[in-house]
Amino acid sequence: MKAKIVGLLKEATTPLSGEKISQDLGVSRVSVHKHINGLRERGYSITAGSTGYTLEDEGDFLYPWEFGERDPLIHFYEEATSTMTIARDLAESDCPHMTTVVAQRQTKGRGRLNRVWDSQDGGLYFTVILRPSLPINQVYKVLFTASVSLALVVRNLTGINATVKWPNDILVGEKKLNGMLSEMATQDEFVQYVNLGIGVNVNNNPSKAEPNAVSIRDLLGQEFPRRKILTGFLDSMEERLKNKDEDVIAQWKQYTSTIGRPVRIQTTRDVLEGRAVDVNSQGSLIVELADGRLEEVFHGDCFYQSGEAQES
């Protein structure tokens, strides 16, 4: 009902009377008034005049009813310890493909290698639960698809020149716009689910916690609707996974700033330095070491070293 009322108010070009809303939705005016008050309590700027209700500002809300047909799949929290923790429980309870947990803020947001992800108001923090029906050795396709999807959504919606950094960060210039964390469960030799936890710096100020980070607001000089980023990403991911995009590595290479760069790779067991020369068909980063040997890195954290990027 809230979704329907918000939809009517957004479409209206003049104030909308309670009577008109009740007729359109087949509910009493008392019910309409109750839902309007509920929306106001959640932050909607809805004024009431002699001729009816007006939505003064659509706001930057992430409530389920703001996502149209995705409403049943969206689980919104004003505050959560970590969307990944909630998503794991949902995934284990057999929730549907594309179920998404969104939080206004996180108290224990997590990054790769057990780092803390600063999750203040204004950022976009979510975990999407995917059931891609892939063998375990092809799960890398999901991660690269997510990176490409998010980079293109940012580019197309904002005009910002976002690039992808191996394995799955989004950068603008040398500064980090997002982070991505994945967890997977398997059954036999197939993926049961992949949970992608994503934090995007949209209207927050990440540089306080991470000097080498930047937000969309910083880059545009004004706030940008987080809902547009999330909707665009979910639409892109769902379409790409449905079509089983086989060229995702090639697409990723079109938008990467990693290949040709001097890098330092940190894994759970080792640290190596060299020049990133390629990403192979399985998503591994190929690093040329100082002695000319090529090292294949399947998983790790990548840090750019000083030196200019070169074509490979």
Side-chain angles (χ1 to χ4, degrees), residues 19 28 31 34 57 62 71 78 98 102 105 126 138 159 195 210 220 231 271 281 293 298 301:
E19 182 179 0
S28 69
S31 179
K34 178 181 177 181
D57 183 359
L62 300 173
D71 182 336
E78 287 287 351
M98 298 301 300
V102 190
R105 69 192 75 85
F126 67 97
Q138 293 185 26
N195 290 352
E210 177 52 67
L220 297 182
T231 298
V271 174
S281 59
R293 289 184 298 115
F298 178 71
D301 225 4

Side-chain angles (χ1 to χ4, degrees), residues 16-299:
L16 207 57
S17 69
E19 182 179 0
K20 173 64 173 171
I21 295 173
S22 67
Q23 289 175 350
D24 287 349
L25 300 183
V27 297
S28 69
R29 292 185 63 178
V30 172
S31 179
V32 170
H33 182 70
K34 178 181 177 181
H35 285 296
I36 291 287
N37 284 339
L39 289 167
R40 285 170 172 161
E41 290 173 359
R42 288 168 170 81
Y44 287 86
S45 178
I46 301 174
T47 58
S50 58
T51 57
Y53 297 105
T54 301
L55 181 63
E56 299 291 348
D57 183 359
E58 292 190 11
D60 186 25
F61 302 114
L62 300 173
Y63 300 119
W65 55 80
E66 289 283 359
F67 294 88
E69 294 181 354
R70 292 194 185 278
D71 182 336
L73 297 174
I74 303 294
H75 297 252
F76 174 77
Y77 295 82
E78 287 287 351
E79 183 173 284
T81 53
S82 167
T83 61
M84 288 291 280
T85 301
I86 297 169
R88 186 187 304 121
D89 292 339
L90 288 171
E92 292 292 341
S93 300
D94 295 326
C95 69
H97 174 64
M98 298 301 300
T99 294
T100 304
V101 181
V102 190
Q104 181 74 10
R105 69 192 75 85
Q106 298 180 109
T107 58
K108 294 182 180 180
R110 292 186 285 131
R112 287 196 305 274
L113 301 179
N114 294 317
R115 296 191 182 95
V116 174
W117 183 266
D118 185 54
S119 306
Q120 58 185 282
D121 283 340
L124 175 60
Y125 316 111
F126 67 97
T127 297
V128 57
I129 300 163
L130 305 171
R131 301 188 185 277
S133 187
L134 286 172
I136 298 169
N137 62 1
Q138 293 185 26
V139 71
Y140 68 90
K141 292 181 179 179
V142 175
L143 308 181
F144 279 83
T145 296
S147 294
V148 170
S149 294
L150 186 56
L152 290 180
V153 164
V154 170
R155 281 172 169 253
N156 294 336
L157 290 180
T158 69
I160 291 171
N161 186 29
T163 61
V164 290
K165 173 187 174 186
W166 189 91
N168 44 33
D169 287 343
I170 306 297
L171 301 185
V172 179
E174 299 292 301
K175 295 196 172 183
K176 187 171 181 175
L177 188 66
N178 101 293
M180 191 179 301
L181 181 68
S182 65
E183 292 183 351
M184 175 179 67
T186 63
Q187 188 171 22
D188 298 325
E189 296 183 1
F190 281 81
V191 174
Q192 185 178 7
Y193 64 79
V194 179
N195 290 352
L196 290 183
I198 297 176
V200 187
N201 298 320
V202 184
N203 299 319
N204 53 319
N205 181 12
S207 60
K208 288 183 179 181
E210 177 52 67
N212 199 37
V214 70
S215 72
I216 290 175
R217 184 182 63 184
D218 293 335
L219 296 164
L220 297 182
Q222 61 184 17
E223 294 197 347
F224 191 85
R226 295 170 299 167
R227 186 169 63 250
K228 287 187 176 181
I229 300 291
L230 181 52
T231 298
F233 174 78
L234 294 176
D235 288 348
S236 177
M237 279 297 291
E238 187 169 31
E239 184 67 19
R240 287 174 179 270
L241 291 176
K242 182 173 66 177
N243 293 334
K244 296 184 178 180
D245 192 345
E246 297 296 334
D247 297 327
V248 64
I249 298 294
Q251 293 175 41
W252 184 91
K253 289 181 182 181
Q254 293 179 40
Y255 302 103
T256 188
S257 56
T258 300
I259 296 176
R261 295 290 299 260
V263 295
R264 177 171 60 87
I265 307 297
Q266 179 180 343
T267 71
T268 55
R269 297 176 301 176
D270 200 4
V271 174
L272 60 89
E273 294 185 359
R275 183 173 296 276
V277 295
D278 199 6
V279 169
N280 66 19
S281 59
Q282 286 76 47
S284 296
L285 183 66
I286 308 302
V287 179
E288 183 180 22
L289 305 181
D291 60 6
R293 289 184 298 115
L294 296 180
E295 189 80 21
E296 180 179 338
V297 185
F298 178 71
H299 180 75

